[in-house]
Amino acid sequence: MGRGKLRIYLGAAPGVGKTYSMLSEAHRRIERGTDCVVGFVEHHNRPRTEVMLHGLEVIERREIEYRGSTFTEMDVDAILARRPAVALVDELAHTNVPGSRNAKRWQDVEELLQAGIDVVSTVNIQHLESLGDVVETITGVRQRETVPDEVVRRADQIELVDMSPQALRRRMAHGNVYKPDKVDAALSNYFRPGNLTALRELALLWTADRVDEYLREYRGEHNIRTTWQARERIVVGLTGGPEGRTLIRRAARLAEKGAGGEVLAVYIAASDGLSSASPKELAVQRTLVEDLGGTFHHVIGDKVSDSLLEFARGVNATQIVLGVSRRRSWQYVFGPGVSATVARESGPDLDVHIVTHDEAAKGRGLPIPRGARLGRSRIIWGWLTAVAGPALLTLLLSQVVPDLGLANDMLLFLTLTVAAALLGGLLPALASVAVGSLVLNWFFTPPLHRLSISDPRNIVAISIFVGVAVSVASVVDLAARRTHQAARLRAESEILSVLAGSVLRGEDSLEALLERLRETFAMDSVALLERASEVDSWTTAAAVGHQPVGRPEAADVDMPIGENMALALSGRVLPAEDRRVLGAFAAQAAVVLDRQRLVDEAEEARRLAEGNRIRTALLAAVSHDLRTPLAGIKASVTSLRSDDVEWSEEDKADLLEGIEDGADRLSALIGNLLDMSRLNTGTVVPLIRETDLDEVVPMALGGVPEDSVELDIPETLPMVAVDRGLLERAVANIVENAVKYSPAGRPVLVSASALANRVELRVVDGGPGVPDEAKERIFEPFQRHGDAPRGAGVGLGLAVARGFTEAVGGTLTAEDTPGGGLTMVLTLPTAGDGPPVAAELPTAAVT
């Protein structure tokens, strides 16, 4: 049985009509005879959506008990047993109640798809996992219910349900989305025009990217190489020179002129030796293009123009931006240059912009070569000059300008030798000497057309010519090699300088260092391998690139680091002179790996030390604070059971009251200990729901005298997205602590107010207060401030309160009360973002 198909209706915000569109699709499929059922649809009491459920078969939901309440979730087993052709499943990012089959609803959907059932679902753009930080920046609300992007991207169909911000706000004002008492708060918080516009743009751009992915897949499957100008995509060709910054900014301006324009900066590295650009300059340009919203790419190729065009067509680019060549005028004799070649070969589907800049025609200066070797093209030109040059010069001297004299002829042939040395090095120059001396003897030295020389002076002249030519060729070749070696050392020193700087700052991760190594040497992949001993197998500590090797023997280049660690590079064989820089990278990689492990070990040691501290404090608490109420209970029970004393009813009541007080204190202490243990082990699982503060706060005051607290909770406050149970425990601990320190006759004030997208709950006491340096310390476990008596608790109340507050997405801080005392400020996120949200729950969470 094949996998089912997934169709998703994507929206920018609650209320745009995703569920309505999904139900409309269901009615259309039923009319076509498709077996379609409703697995789970939440209509949120919206009449028009609820009407659309009429006529559809609805699978009964599964009831789950959790914390004394009953919740309903989708019954996956019932749907699998029913086996419809299509199932409707609303709210793909929903977090299931603990005890459900899966932790997340998208996992339920995955089971249905695996069973061959087609699924139609809905999701809002703010619930995509990768956009959580962006959405929080825009709206101020952190989305706790998320779905992995890959789950949505794998959908067979994604349909955007779009609506303008003005139309959505009108729909809300008419009461079509929320109840009338929540409309004003929603419109003034989450559903502000700016928020909705930004979310709509996110949804449109994300959908456009998904369309781009489909287009790339389609072009690849059908081998389409021509550019389809569906979207402006601008490729910037970089050389690593300072003009790159100008080109990137120019490309960014071009992209801004068209909606959805994209900038891709690419550096083409030759496939032999060290990259020819400055690593420092490339790093600056990479940062610049990323700051402008583009992407940076590093491509390896033998010919820059061909590689650039191949990259541009591969990403379906519409424009290429290049800089005017930095060559001087005379250097064009060696070829037209990259810019002219790309413009000539781009074809009609690619526009090429050649941008002027301050570095134009100034020359490249000293190159940063890829080795002390001459390039292949230069060697070929050197041999052509050495072999074909004398023949052409002989033809010129014989037919065009004869009778110049042997001395002038020798000078011209000597010039050819120097040119051959400059282009191809020593061997072509020596060949030029040999060919030139033979040609001079045969064509220009009497007797002509014979290899003999009649005049002794000519023998001396030709001998001098050969000696001078060989000497000049040797000097020119040596100077060229020294220049290349100096430039190479400059490249190496710059690389090592950048590397040393990163070492001192400790800023590079191991993966970033290996990626820099891969780009520097233009390799396909780099892996750092290690083993426990010589008899153990190699394991990969870190790797970058395509298909990294798992053994040093399988690599093109391996660099040992001690006995049990090695760098393995694949892609090509490096010359011996590159191993010095490679060795520096290898040593740095080992240092970074050791540093990461030391950091991890230090963190583990810190965690163990914290655990030991808590255990020590727990033992101290158990040895004294828990024994105190137990001793009181024991004494009261012993007195009641004593036959030696006849207790009056009043005395018995006092003893029973003492037992009850001791049991209550013991229960509170044990409860805080258990809560602290859950917080430390990460097993607190909040169930986030829309909640009114005026319903939760009064419930939290059961443990304090009635006249000790004064409440000021307006009914007009927006609802908050919290776990009611955890919030109640947090407020109870805060209030009990405030009542404990507040002077007699002065009640604690508990007030609340709305600020932007959050609600603040303030607990104000008139006690002695806390110094500024101790305000954070009072939230640590087993901390009691000042002269609190030993039997007053174990110092966990505020630590548990902060832990529970942070678990539901809030904050808890301490401030001074004007006039004396301490004010606890509990800040909670509002629920103005629509449907209830929940934190991501572990599958096997214990609550």
Side-chain angles (χ1 to χ4, degrees):
M1 179 180 295
R3 177 183 170 88
K5 295 185 179 299
L6 176 61
R7 178 182 182 129
I8 293 178
Y9 286 93
L10 177 67
V16 296
K18 303 180 302 299
T19 305
Y20 189 93
S21 300
M22 179 179 68
L23 295 174
S24 299
E25 173 67 17
H27 282 287
R28 287 192 293 271
R29 295 197 181 200
I30 290 175
E31 290 174 0
R32 295 196 296 264
T34 304
D35 182 14
C36 184
V37 301
V38 175
F40 188 99
V41 168
E42 191 64 68
H43 55 72
H44 299 291
N45 296 320
R46 296 168 187 167
R48 297 185 180 182
T49 305
E50 191 173 358
V51 168
M52 293 298 292
L53 285 169
H54 296 168
L56 300 178
E57 179 184 349
V58 180
I59 301 295
E60 188 174 350
R61 300 182 185 183
R62 178 189 175 194
E63 293 186 351
I64 300 175
E65 294 288 335
Y66 180 69
R67 290 185 178 175
S69 301
T70 301
F71 299 90
T72 60
E73 294 289 359
M74 182 173 69
D75 194 336
V76 179
D77 292 325
I79 299 175
L80 292 174
R82 169 66 173 76
R83 297 201 62 79
V86 179
L88 308 183
V89 182
D90 205 5
E91 298 179 358
L92 185 64
H94 171 76
T95 300
N96 294 329
V97 174
S100 302
R101 183 187 185 97
N102 294 301
K104 305 288 288 186
R105 184 164 293 162
W106 65 262
Q107 295 171 325
D108 296 336
V109 168
E110 192 67 24
E111 283 197 43
L112 300 181
L113 295 172
Q114 292 291 346
I117 300 174
D118 293 347
V119 176
V120 183
S121 188
T122 65
V123 71
N124 279 328
I125 191 67
Q126 63 263 35
H127 295 302
L128 294 182
E129 203 165 69
S130 66
L131 299 178
D133 294 339
V134 179
V135 172
E136 184 178 12
T137 302
I138 295 171
T139 65
V141 178
R142 182 68 180 183
Q143 298 296 328
R144 294 175 182 82
E145 283 193 330
T146 60
V147 58
D149 289 43
E150 185 59 27
V151 173
V152 182
R153 288 183 183 277
R154 285 202 308 262
D156 299 276
Q157 286 182 283
I158 298 177
E159 181 171 331
L160 179 64
V161 182
D162 188 30
M163 178 175 286
S164 68
Q166 294 77 12
L168 179 55
R169 286 172 59 83
R170 283 197 302 269
R171 177 179 287 185
M172 291 196 62
H174 294 159
N176 295 331
V177 179
Y178 291 144
K179 294 179 181 179
D181 59 334
K182 298 180 181 179
V183 169
D184 290 340
L187 289 176
S188 60
N189 288 282
Y190 190 87
F191 288 85
R192 294 192 297 269
N195 288 3
L196 296 178
T197 302
L199 291 173
R200 186 189 188 197
E201 183 178 10
L202 274 181
L204 291 169
L205 290 175
W206 194 92
T207 307
D209 287 339
R210 180 64 182 87
V211 173
D212 271 351
E213 290 178 11
Y214 173 75
L215 183 60
R216 283 195 295 270
E217 292 172 3
Y218 181 86
R219 284 163 53 85
E221 291 171 359
H222 294 78
N223 197 26
I224 299 173
R225 304 296 298 167
T226 57
T227 299
W228 289 359
Q229 298 186 4
R231 178 180 180 182
E232 287 297 335
R233 188 171 281 110
I234 303 171
V235 170
V236 185
L238 301 177
T239 65
E243 76 280 0
R245 306 181 201 183
T246 302
L247 303 184
I248 291 170
R249 294 188 179 97
R250 176 60 175 164
R253 291 196 295 272
L254 288 173
E256 289 174 358
K257 294 180 179 179
E262 183 180 358
V263 176
L264 299 90
V266 57
Y267 169 68
I268 311 293
S271 58
D272 56 339
L274 290 171
S275 298
S276 60
S278 164
K280 186 183 299 183
E281 183 63 31
L282 278 181
V284 171
Q285 293 174 13
R286 180 197 292 266
T287 303
L288 175 61
V289 72
E290 290 174 352
D291 288 345
L292 293 175
T295 56
F296 184 91
H297 303 266
H298 190 281
V299 176
I300 299 172
D302 292 324
K303 190 175 180 182
V304 174
S305 57
D306 292 347
S307 299
L308 181 61
L309 287 170
E310 183 178 353
F311 174 83
R313 292 192 175 105
V315 299
N316 199 30
T318 57
Q319 302 179 55
I320 297 178
V321 174
L322 298 171
V324 173
S325 177
R326 285 184 285 157
R327 291 180 171 189
R328 299 187 187 278
S329 301
W330 62 268
Q331 291 177 307
Y332 282 98
V333 298
F334 300 108
V338 173
S339 300
T341 303
V342 170
R344 184 181 67 248
E345 299 179 359
S346 61
D349 53 351
L350 263 175
D351 296 335
V352 179
H353 302 265
I354 299 180
V355 180
T356 59
H357 51 81
D358 293 338
E359 303 297 321
K362 290 185 178 180
R364 290 182 171 272
L366 274 179
I368 305 176
R370 295 176 293 278
R373 306 166 302 281
L374 296 171
R376 181 181 178 184
S377 61
R378 286 190 59 178
I379 293 176
I380 293 175
W381 275 102
W383 281 103
L384 287 175
T385 303
V387 176
L392 294 175
L393 183 58
T394 299
L395 182 63
L396 177 67
L397 293 176
S398 301
Q399 303 297 327
V400 180
V401 283
D403 302 327
L404 283 179
L406 183 59
N408 292 327
D409 295 339
M410 287 183 178
L411 288 175
L412 291 175
F413 277 94
L414 182 61
T415 303
L416 274 181
T417 301
V418 173
L422 287 172
L423 289 173
L426 182 60
L427 291 180
L430 293 178
S432 177
V433 171
V435 174
S437 61
L438 291 175
V439 169
L440 282 171
N441 190 356
W442 185 268
F443 288 100
F444 302 102
T445 305
L448 300 180
H449 307 302
R450 294 178 60 185
L451 293 179
S452 59
I453 302 175
S454 59
D455 190 343
R457 291 176 298 179
N458 291 338
I459 296 177
V460 174
I462 290 184
S463 299
I464 293 174
F465 165 78
V466 172
V468 171
V470 170
S471 300
V472 169
S474 300
V475 171
V476 170
D477 177 70
L478 181 62
R481 290 183 179 277
R482 289 287 183 267
T483 301
H484 287 309
Q485 289 170 0
R488 178 183 181 82
L489 290 174
R490 171 187 164 192
E492 291 182 359
S493 63
E494 191 168 62
I495 293 171
L496 294 174
S497 173
V498 174
L499 191 60
S502 67
V503 173
L504 295 175
R505 292 187 297 271
E507 59 186 24
D508 268 355
S509 67
L510 185 56
E511 288 73 15
L513 178 68
L514 296 183
E515 180 63 26
R516 179 178 294 176
L517 169 61
R518 188 188 70 82
E519 292 184 357
T520 299
F521 290 99
M523 304 299 285
D524 293 337
S525 66
V526 179
L528 180 61
L529 308 176
E530 61 177 347
R531 60 185 178 183
S533 65
E534 293 183 359
V535 297
D536 292 317
S537 59
W538 291 95
T539 59
T540 302
V544 296
H546 179 64
Q547 294 181 344
V549 299
R551 296 181 300 109
E553 297 81 8
D556 294 314
V557 180
D558 70 285
M559 171 63 68
I561 312 173
E563 295 182 354
N564 299 317
M565 190 178 294
L567 268 179
L569 298 84
S570 59
R572 63 186 181 84
V573 177
L574 290 179
E577 56 264 31
D578 286 345
R579 295 187 70 86
R580 179 170 56 180
V581 177
L582 182 59
F585 272 103
Q588 171 63 1
V591 170
V592 171
L593 180 61
D594 289 341
R595 184 169 60 222
Q596 287 183 356
R597 287 178 174 170
L598 287 173
V599 170
D600 293 341
E601 291 174 2
E603 178 62 24
E604 178 66 15
R606 188 202 63 78
R607 189 185 65 79
L608 291 175
E610 178 67 15
N612 289 332
R613 187 186 69 80
I614 291 177
R615 278 192 290 272
T616 302
L618 177 59
L619 288 174
V622 171
S623 65
H624 186 281
D625 293 282
L626 294 184
R627 291 177 62 186
T628 301
L630 281 174
I633 294 172
K634 175 66 175 176
S636 298
V637 171
T638 302
S639 299
L640 286 173
R641 295 190 62 186
S642 174
D643 296 331
D644 299 336
V645 180
E646 186 69 28
W647 301 102
S648 65
E649 292 300 324
E650 184 178 353
D651 292 335
K652 290 180 180 179
D654 289 342
L655 290 172
L656 289 173
E657 184 178 356
I659 292 173
E660 184 178 9
D661 289 343
D664 289 342
R665 287 173 57 194
L666 191 60
S667 175
L669 290 173
I670 293 175
N672 278 336
L673 287 171
L674 292 175
D675 289 339
M676 199 68 236
S677 174
R678 292 167 59 206
L679 287 169
N680 286 330
T681 55
T683 55
V684 174
V685 183
L687 183 64
I688 305 299
R689 291 289 184 267
E690 290 183 353
T691 303
D692 284 316
L693 274 184
D694 57 1
E695 295 178 1
V696 176
V697 174
M699 299 293 294
L701 306 182
V704 297
E706 292 184 3
D707 58 350
S708 61
V709 177
E710 179 182 333
L711 279 180
D712 182 16
I713 310 293
E715 296 182 357
T716 57
L717 283 177
M719 300 183 77
V720 292
V722 295
D723 183 305
R724 293 189 56 165
L726 297 182
L727 178 60
E728 183 179 329
R729 293 292 301 276
V731 174
N733 282 0
I734 297 170
V735 173
E736 288 174 8
N737 186 77
V739 170
K740 184 190 305 180
Y741 289 97
S742 190
R746 184 171 178 180
V748 171
L749 174 63
V750 180
S751 62
S753 59
L755 297 172
N757 56 355
R758 65 187 189 276
V759 171
E760 280 191 356
L761 182 70
R762 307 177 75 86
V763 180
V764 184
D765 69 59
V770 176
D772 290 340
E773 63 272 12
K775 282 188 171 63
E776 279 301 311
R777 194 165 61 248
I778 61 176
F779 293 105
E780 297 178 4
F782 306 105
Q783 294 291 324
R784 287 179 293 194
H785 178 64
D787 57 353
R790 290 287 299 176
V794 294
L796 285 175
L798 293 181
V800 170
R802 172 172 276 190
F804 282 173
T805 302
E806 292 177 350
V808 300
T811 59
L812 178 60
T813 56
E815 298 178 356
D816 291 327
T817 300
L822 188 69
T823 297
M824 291 291 177
V825 183
L826 193 153
T827 305
L828 299 169
T830 62
D833 53 323
V837 296
E840 185 173 344
L841 305 178
T843 304
V846 179
T847 60

